[in-house]
Amino acid sequence: MYAGAAIAVGLFSVASPAGVAWLRCLGAAVILLAWRRPPRSAWTGRTFLLAGTFGIVTAGMNVLFYEAIARLPLGTAVALEFAGPVVVAAFGSRTRRDVFALLLVAAGVLAIADVRLEGSLLGVLFALAAAAAWAGYILLGKRVADGGNGIDGLAVGFAVGTVVLSPLAFSVGAVWGSPRLLLLGAGVSVLATVVPYALDQVVLRKAGQTRFALLLALLPVTAGVIGFLWLGQVPALPEALGTLAVVAGVALRSPVKRDDSAPL
């Protein structure tokens, strides 16, 4: 995911953030459809409606987040967007232990992200909208995962999302005329969408939406570890304490109840 994000930021100089997000959606749709070849039943009835809604929300989430990081420091945008998973996890918390674990995770994410509410108001609004879309991604993704082969639904969803957001293709600009840039766009699709979102479908089915939402807090921890091991970026004390808080919060979460993993 973070390799894909790094490539995407590099493309912002030749295409709009929304255009890069749409290109990511297009590439994911092409790859997933070629890989999965969803059956005819996946394109009809409630199955298609659910997958299509999921795809539109997910594509919209990516567009909103890319627009946010084009206007805000990345740490600020990430912290604001994490409000979505935190809210989902909060509604699934049943005990004081769960609430305490959730507070640890929220505090840890804020410390890791080094939250600074500076930058444009529009960027803040984009990040908050992305947070709402991320909550929708979790809730709808759980339904897609429980409704059959979730990765087939992912393929159909991204196809629908690509068509609905197709006007954004006009903002891709110079990418269309450069095989190198198109290849980088395909790399974003694979690294930031196809691989992680396909794995999300597996985890959602096994773990349930509440635990999944809490586990998402490990993403900034992963980024910190990768930065330390690969880039030699030594975390500051608040980041190190935040990492420990997130790991502790995820570990303290109560075992998943049977109804948390059941179809919604």
Side-chain angles (χ1 to χ4, degrees), residues 35-49:
W35 170 32
R36 301 300 303 183
R37 298 183 181 179
R40 184 176 301 178
S41 60
W43 300 91
T44 59
R46 294 184 61 185
T47 301
F48 174 73
L49 180 62

Side-chain angles (χ1 to χ4, degrees), residues 14-129:
V14 294
S16 73
V20 174
W22 180 83
L23 192 65
R24 167 182 169 181
C25 185
L26 171 65
V30 171
I31 294 167
L32 286 168
L33 289 173
W35 170 32
R36 301 300 303 183
R37 298 183 181 179
R40 184 176 301 178
S41 60
W43 300 91
T44 59
R46 294 184 61 185
T47 301
F48 174 73
L49 180 62
L50 175 60
T53 304
F54 172 66
I56 294 170
V57 169
T58 304
M61 173 184 70
N62 294 331
V63 169
L64 292 166
F65 182 67
Y66 279 11
E67 290 290 350
I69 63 176
R71 294 169 172 82
L72 291 175
L74 180 60
T76 302
V78 168
L80 290 171
E81 194 191 23
F82 260 90
V86 167
V87 168
V88 173
F91 276 104
S93 298
R94 299 176 178 86
T95 66
R96 291 182 180 178
R97 173 178 168 177
D98 290 343
V99 172
F100 180 66
L102 182 63
L103 290 175
L104 272 178
V105 168
V109 168
L110 291 176
I112 295 168
D114 186 24
V115 179
R116 292 172 293 148
L117 287 179
E118 56 188 41
S120 72
L121 175 61
L122 184 58
V124 172
L125 294 176
F126 273 127
L128 291 175

